[in-house]
Amino acid sequence: MTEGVVLRLEPQEAHLLRLLMEQMLELLGDGAPADDDLAAFGIASSAKTPSDPVLLRLFPDGYSGDDEASGEFRRYTELGLREGKREAARTILETLDEAHEHEDGPLLALALDGDRAEAWLRALNDVRLVLGTRLDIDEDWYRQAGKLTPDDPRTPLFAAYELLTMMLEELVDALG
């Protein structure tokens, strides 16, 4: 376990994170179907490769070129992976609920112990993957973003992607 850190966020950043985590939870769904008897053991009776590119990015096939092995891998891993991603997103929401104003002004201070900090890393990275997939981001994304006009509907998404990238870098540095 790593040591803890204190994050300082602008209220707008905290609001954006809350919205992104709520959307992530919606994307991930509630869990296994109630009629799936094996779900209690973390096994999905039927697990299919997602058609949504975002879900495929979050839950990639385990074996390239082997649909049968990938299907078995997915059956035994996807429910646990989904729950882990949901738990990380919920950790951010819980932490935001506990935030208090920082003594230096309008910033919010969030104390993260090692476990929470690691959950933050996972959840921020997951949302970053979602945005990156939706925006079709590649190594050249800064140049793409620089060409956007303020009225382009992708502009706020690129800004959110950049914010998540900076947050991840800063959190990794603080934990390093």
Side-chain angles (χ1 to χ4, degrees):
M1 182 170 84
T2 59
E3 291 185 31
V5 297
V6 174
L7 290 179
R8 290 174 191 84
L9 298 176
E10 296 283 342
Q12 307 90 309
E13 294 170 331
H15 180 72
L16 175 62
L17 279 178
R18 178 173 301 285
L19 291 174
L20 291 171
M21 292 306 137
E22 289 169 351
Q23 290 174 7
M24 176 61 95
L25 288 171
E26 188 175 315
L27 175 68
L28 294 171
D30 294 332
D35 62 347
D36 193 341
D37 296 334
L38 294 174
F41 303 103
I43 302 169
S45 293
S46 64
K48 295 183 177 26
T49 301
S51 58
D52 181 342
V54 168
L55 290 174
L56 186 57
R57 182 70 174 108
L58 291 174
F59 306 105
D61 284 333
Y63 299 93
S64 179
D66 189 340
D67 293 343
E68 186 176 336
S70 287
E72 275 302 289
F73 180 78
R74 187 174 298 284
R75 251 184 100 216
Y76 287 98
T77 61
E78 188 171 323
L79 290 178
L81 291 172
R82 275 184 189 267
E83 184 53 35
K85 292 178 184 309
R86 282 192 292 267
E87 185 58 35
R90 285 191 293 259
T91 297
I92 287 186
L93 291 172
E94 290 166 7
T95 309
L96 291 171
D97 288 343
E98 298 167 7
H100 58 278
E101 284 192 22
H102 190 267
E103 60 202 35
D104 293 336
L107 297 176
L108 299 177
L110 303 99
L112 305 179
D113 63 15
D115 289 338
R116 275 191 166 184
E118 290 174 15
W120 270 68
L121 287 172
R122 288 191 308 273
L124 292 174
N125 189 59
D126 286 342
V127 172
R128 191 171 169 273
L129 287 173
V130 167
L131 288 173
T133 302
R134 289 279 190 241
L135 293 168
D136 198 24
I137 286 183
D138 59 19
E139 309 81 37
D140 202 24
W141 77 273
Y142 278 109
R143 193 166 47 155
Q144 277 182 291
K147 293 179 182 178
L148 297 176
T149 60
D151 62 332
D152 189 310
R154 297 171 300 162
T155 299
L157 298 175
F158 272 99
Y161 182 86
E162 185 172 21
L163 175 67
L164 292 170
T165 300
M166 290 186 306
M167 285 180 154
L168 274 168
E169 288 175 4
E170 290 174 9
L171 191 51
V172 167
D173 287 347
L175 294 169

